[in-house]
Amino acid sequence: MNSLRCAAVMVLAATLTGCTSTGPGLSEMSFSEEPLIGKFVWYDLITDDAEAARRFYGGLFGWAFEKSTGPRGNEYYLVRDGGVYIGGVVPAAEPADGAEISRWLPYVSVADVDASTERASANGGRVVVSPLDVRLGRVAAVVDAQGAAIGLARSDIGDPDDVTTAGGPGRVIWSELLAADDAAAASFYRSVVGYQVRVVDRRGGQYTLLSADGRDRAGILPNPTDWKPQWLTHFGVADPTAAAAQAASLGGEVLLEPTSEVRDGTIAIVTDPSGAVLVLSKWPV
């Protein structure tokens, strides 16, 4: 937990402060007039090998990286796909205890960061970074009741709207919680974020959808593996099989090859060179 807290502090200190870089700015992005509660609005990669991460994701998705600096002087890289900023890379030293630190950390828009962190604690979660103000809003980080980390954010300028964040190759197209107890997880996020919850039947069993204002924002998958509960970030690719092979050639590891038995072969699960897990999802399906 100490290593997660240290990394999360660096992430939150840099998030929403690095957009003062000298790149293309925000001219190709549009923002909602009011925060889009329940939408995942930012994604940070915490990694113990930032150089390898930049080579990997630049080769896999064609991303550009802009070096920036957080208010505490920590190194931070903004991730840009074309003219749209989608996240950041946070270099973090490997913990002395050897704990795994590399991961994708998503941020969800909430109405009140302080109230959401209080509800997280009341529902069995842990606050790893207490609410703090950043240049464009207020943020925090929590670990849910099953051990999955997530960031909470409230922006002062509105959130990137659904036009700006439209799906495509190299873009985030879905966020999915791998949960030990899907019903308990749904209850947790209903309380913390304010989601509406519905369960649907699909091939392979039931699936839980988290929605807000009539739009599905994330899903919950009952964990069919021995992996620890975690949020999985899905990135769009034209061909999951080819993308998985490319990921391996760039130093990643393929955990799950596309197979007709899992979502009709439309996904592959890989790690980047530092061990952060990501999902390669066919786009368009």
Side-chain angles (χ1 to χ4, degrees):
M1 182 57 64
N2 288 338
S3 59
L4 173 59
R5 178 178 174 81
C6 291
V9 167
M10 289 191 295
V11 172
L12 295 175
T15 297
L16 301 179
T17 65
C19 291
T20 56
S21 63
T22 58
L26 304 178
S27 62
E28 296 185 41
M29 301 178 66
S30 50
F31 295 82
S32 62
E33 292 186 4
E34 297 291 336
L36 300 173
I37 306 304
K39 179 176 182 176
F40 284 75
V41 294
W42 193 256
Y43 303 84
D44 268 314
L45 173 67
I46 304 170
T47 177
D48 57 19
D49 193 338
E51 183 177 350
R54 295 196 304 274
R55 289 196 303 268
F56 177 84
Y57 292 100
L60 187 60
F61 297 137
W63 288 347
F65 301 89
E66 297 178 11
K67 189 173 182 179
S68 186
T69 304
R72 294 184 175 91
N74 51 292
E75 192 175 25
Y76 186 73
Y77 294 89
L78 288 161
V79 175
R80 180 167 52 82
D81 180 62
V84 174
Y85 293 98
I86 60 176
V89 176
V90 183
E94 184 176 353
D97 61 6
E100 295 180 5
I101 194 171
S102 298
R103 69 187 68 205
W104 278 97
L105 179 68
Y107 291 79
V108 63
S109 179
V110 297
D112 184 320
V113 171
D114 295 72
S116 287
T117 56
E118 290 175 6
R119 289 194 293 269
S121 294
N123 283 274
R126 300 186 301 278
V127 178
V128 293
V129 177
S130 297
L132 72 155
D133 291 323
V134 292
R135 189 175 67 85
L136 298 179
R138 191 164 175 81
V139 290
V142 303
V143 172
D144 71 21
Q146 298 181 46
I150 189 169
L152 308 173
R154 177 64 189 259
S155 170
D156 290 340
I157 64 169
D159 294 319
D161 63 22
D162 293 324
V163 174
T164 289
T165 60
R171 296 287 186 88
V172 176
I173 63 172
W174 192 238
S175 296
E176 183 173 63
L177 176 63
L178 193 62
D181 184 331
D182 52 338
S187 178
F188 180 89
Y189 286 98
R190 181 192 291 115
S191 175
V192 172
V193 181
Y195 283 122
Q196 292 87 51
V197 176
R198 75 180 193 279
V199 178
V200 297
D201 290 316
R202 68 175 192 179
R203 181 180 176 184
Q206 291 187 326
Y207 189 77
T208 301
L209 289 166
L210 304 177
S211 63
D213 293 327
R215 189 178 182 101
D216 295 332
R217 293 301 189 185
I220 301 176
L221 177 68
N223 193 348
T225 73
D226 58 357
W227 300 348
K228 61 185 179 182
Q230 59 188 290
W231 279 97
L232 298 174
T233 303
H234 290 237
F235 296 93
V237 295
D239 182 340
T241 300
Q246 186 179 17
S249 74
L250 291 166
E253 179 183 356
V254 180
L255 302 180
L256 176 69
E257 295 273 6
T259 169
S260 60
E261 297 178 356
V262 180
R263 300 188 189 178
D264 297 321
T266 60
I267 69 168
I269 302 178
V270 304
T271 69
D272 69 17
S274 65
V277 177
L278 62 149
V279 183
L280 305 174
S281 293
K282 183 175 176 56
W283 185 268
V285 178

